[in-house]
Amino acid sequence: MARMNPARPEGPGHPVNPADEILDIVDENDEVTGQAPRGEAYARGLRHRCVFVLARDGGGRYFVHRRTPVKLVFPSMYDMFVGGVVGAGESYDEAALREAEEELGVSGLPAPVPLFKFLYESDDATRTWWSYVYEVRCDLPVDPQPEEVAWYGFLTRAELERRLSGPGREWVPDGLAAWERLRAFEGGSTESGR
């Protein structure tokens, strides 16, 4: 069953332009303070909500991909999470499932399991969003959206760690922040807030 994001109408007369998607704008406590189109939220550095979903196959390998050059943020960079923005009025859980199914190109995934939430802030403080990290097992054959994913593969933890520390690949900074927090979470501790 296809899941629609109420903030992103689709169909005849409703072309999908990611910059036009309406997002909830939130404060430092993740409380909604208003709404804005995604393009405006990015341009003005307005805090909003995002989901990060760590997708693993039946063998425990991680879905890793390279974003396309047309992405609004972090074009052509590598990422170990699928996900994206939470639309206005959409819950984190709804967005996690919708984004995972969209980016993996599957339907019928189990509900992603929420792990933790943190506030991402870029080093220059121009980008900030509340980020909920999830995980999901995907035993379905994936068919990623070509407009979202330029390359993909399933990697073991060791392969992923080698690529993270090796030269020649730029990784999305928010994904790296989430990955570091995931390592701490798996170690039995979580950071609250940031």
Side-chain angles (χ1 to χ4, degrees):
M1 173 174 95
R3 286 170 179 78
M4 298 287 289
N5 175 351
R8 186 171 54 193
E10 298 177 18
H14 294 285
V16 177
N17 180 346
D20 295 335
E21 182 177 3
I22 303 299
L23 308 181
D24 284 333
I25 303 305
V26 297
D27 65 15
E28 65 278 359
N29 298 311
D30 198 18
E31 298 294 327
V32 176
T33 60
Q35 295 182 338
R38 185 199 309 205
E40 180 182 340
Y42 289 165
R44 293 179 49 206
L46 301 174
R47 186 178 293 123
H48 53 282
R49 294 172 172 160
C50 290
V51 291
F52 296 72
V53 183
L54 189 68
R56 298 167 96 177
D57 67 9
R61 298 176 303 164
Y62 300 85
F63 179 84
V64 176
H65 66 284
R66 184 169 186 230
R67 298 163 61 87
T68 59
V70 298
K71 296 292 285 183
L72 288 175
V73 294
F74 311 134
S76 300
M77 292 182 148
Y78 288 86
D79 200 350
M80 69 289 291
F81 295 95
V82 296
V85 296
V86 178
E90 186 177 34
S91 72
Y92 282 108
D93 290 350
E94 291 166 336
L97 182 57
R98 175 184 54 76
E99 287 285 353
E101 287 187 338
E102 282 177 10
E103 288 193 25
L104 294 170
V106 300
S107 60
L109 277 180
V113 176
L115 301 177
F116 58 90
K117 183 170 74 168
F118 72 99
L119 179 61
Y120 170 75
E121 293 181 298
S122 63
D123 289 340
D124 63 4
T126 60
R127 296 182 175 172
T128 178
W129 42 81
W130 277 103
S131 309
Y132 218 127
V133 177
Y134 290 77
E135 68 179 349
V136 71
R137 180 174 165 157
C138 180
D139 291 323
L140 303 165
V142 298
D143 185 21
Q145 293 179 315
E147 61 274 9
E148 300 269 343
V149 176
W151 169 90
Y152 72 92
F154 281 92
L155 305 179
T156 66
R157 178 78 176 239
E159 290 169 326
L160 176 54
E161 292 289 354
R162 270 195 305 279
R163 289 184 184 213
L164 284 168
S165 62
R169 289 184 182 82
E170 277 192 280
W171 294 85
V172 296
D174 60 345
L176 287 174
W179 183 255
E180 290 302 318
R181 284 167 175 82
L182 179 66
R183 285 176 172 161
F185 177 82
E186 291 173 340
S189 64
T190 59
E191 297 178 46
S192 63
R194 307 187 251 195

